[in-house]
Amino acid sequence: MLNRFMLIVVFVPLAIILIALAVANRELVAFTLDPFNPGNPKLTLSLPLFIFLFLALAIGMVVGSLATWVKQGRYRKLARQRGVEAESLRQAVSRAPAAPQGPALPKPTS
């Protein structure tokens, strides 16, 4: 149910906006990597503007994801360490001899 909600409320309007953006920005634009000689054909790429916009969006998403992954590295390391510690404690408990059962504690009276 939540997936259908996300599809209808978020992704459908986003797709409509992106399609409108692509249709409105079909003109060719020149993207050059040489700031001193902008007419250099070897370092100039002419594509529709919406392709550059989508590429910038995709690159931003990848860079943001990588930054988040790197920033959360210490938490993943801590989780691995605690997982190893928990597994060693489980094994130690399973190897320990069973303690003799003593008399049950009396129930508290009020």
Side-chain angles (χ1 to χ4, degrees):
M1 184 67 183
L2 182 63
N3 289 338
R4 183 171 294 281
F5 177 75
M6 290 295 289
L7 178 72
I8 293 171
V9 172
V10 176
F11 294 122
V12 170
L14 183 63
I16 292 170
I17 292 169
L18 290 176
I19 290 169
L21 182 71
V23 170
N25 294 295
R26 291 179 292 176
E27 292 86 24
L28 292 178
V29 292
F31 178 76
T32 184
L33 295 174
D34 188 359
F36 303 111
N37 185 12
N40 187 354
K42 292 181 181 176
L43 296 175
T44 302
L45 184 64
S46 292
L47 291 172
L49 179 62
F50 73 91
I51 291 179
F52 290 121
L53 293 173
F54 289 164
L55 284 174
L57 177 69
I59 290 169
M61 289 173 63
V62 169
V63 169
S65 298
L66 287 174
T68 302
W69 182 76
V70 168
K71 189 172 182 177
Q72 293 175 350
R74 62 180 168 199
Y75 301 114
R76 288 191 308 275
K77 181 179 178 182
L78 183 61
R80 279 192 305 271
Q81 291 172 346
R82 289 186 177 169
V84 168
E85 181 183 351
E87 186 58 34
S88 66
L89 290 174
R90 277 190 205 103
Q91 290 176 359
V93 167
S94 67
R95 285 188 300 225
Q101 293 289 336
L105 294 174
K107 292 186 179 181
T109 58
S110 38

